[in-house]
Amino acid sequence: MDLGPIDDPSTKSFIKLREAMGLVSGKVALVTGSGAGIGRAAALKFAEEGAKVFVSDVNSEGGNETVALIKQKGGDAAFARADVARAADVAALVADVVATYGRLDCACNNAGIEGRIAPIAEQMEQDFDEVMCVNAKGTFLCLKYEIAYMIRNGGGAIVNLASVAGLIGFPGLGAYVASKHAIIGLTKNAALEYSKMGVRVNSICPGGIETRMLDSLVAQSSKAQVGTHEMMDPLHPIGRIGTPDEVAELIVWLCSNRASFLTGANISIDGGFVAQ
């Protein structure tokens, strides 16, 4: 919905109504990797549904742009740069969220990289380590510090971003596939360990989504230089790739009370890709 000027009385009334009635109204949400793509869409959706949003990314420009977009729509958001592969950064990030907003209710652990396409025998060890460090270790560190806060403060809900690559193999993407399988395993374990303490943990597996990452993978793999839609749309039974906004809808719902009995689950949002 397009709003009028923020100081317009009707706009102010709408914002107050949204904050009171949204899926996550009154909550505080942290979204990593939210400078673009799925992370940005999730941050915007959390705000639209009434949450205060803490944006984080290694790209400060993108992160601040996300904050600006949220504020333009009347939302409340703040940004801090963090590298999820560094424990000190993640610990400081969670502390910043609590210092800024007084609590942490929801987290979307989205930060990740795709790495270079190469068969396993040709994969550079450094490239493998980098992908695993950001994707798998980064998710572990986020869970570690988010959960530590949540179990002391009434619980919360966490969504980890896996991928259809966490369910099946993709030739040339060994490191990425391994990292996304690891995220699903971490999700299940965290749910078993902390659900009784009030922390729900779920993961989602997007298929092809309109993002810079998908464009990068297509560019690396396409010798014919075909476009992302030309290559990827026919691979999805629904006939197209998805949008970040569609994934964001699921993320926010999983963090809401409407998903109160859901934990340890892994949900595909892939246009039927893995049903084939």
Side-chain angles (χ1 to χ4, degrees), residues 133-251:
C133 197
V134 174
N135 296 0
K137 180 184 176 183
T139 299
F140 159 73
L141 289 173
C142 288
L143 287 169
K144 174 180 173 67
Y145 290 101
E146 292 159 357
I147 290 171
Y149 172 82
M150 288 177 175
I151 61 176
R152 298 192 306 268
N153 295 276
I158 300 172
V159 176
N160 295 323
L161 265 289
S163 165
V164 290
L167 301 171
I168 57 177
F170 283 89
L173 287 174
Y176 186 77
V177 166
S179 72
K180 294 302 183 176
H181 275 72
I183 288 170
I184 293 172
L186 282 168
T187 298
K188 292 177 180 179
N189 235 63
L192 292 175
E193 292 169 353
Y194 296 105
S195 290
K196 287 184 179 179
M197 300 182 193
V199 179
R200 294 188 299 104
V201 188
N202 296 289
S203 57
I204 65 172
C205 286
I209 305 296
E210 292 178 354
T211 61
R212 179 215 58 81
M213 181 181 288
L214 185 61
D215 289 342
S216 171
L217 291 171
V218 169
Q220 288 188 65
S221 63
S222 174
K223 295 180 180 178
Q225 298 298 307
V226 299
T228 298
H229 283 278
E230 186 179 355
M231 174 181 281
M232 298 301 298
D233 284 355
L235 301 180
H236 295 73
I238 205 168
R240 63 174 178 86
I241 58 176
T243 68
D245 289 342
E246 289 173 314
V247 181
E249 292 278 355
L250 176 58
I251 291 168

Side-chain angles (χ1 to χ4, degrees), residues 11-64:
T11 300
K12 288 182 177 179
S13 296
F14 174 78
I15 291 170
K16 288 181 179 179
L17 182 64
R18 178 183 64 191
E19 290 175 347
M21 300 182 64
L23 281 178
V24 286
S25 60
K27 297 185 182 295
V28 173
L30 167 63
V31 186
T32 66
S34 46
I38 292 172
R40 172 174 287 178
L44 289 165
K45 186 61 181 176
F46 271 115
E48 180 183 326
E49 292 293 343
K52 297 177 180 178
V53 185
F54 205 97
V55 172
S56 182
D57 203 291
V58 293
N59 181 344
S60 296
E61 182 178 357
N64 283 310

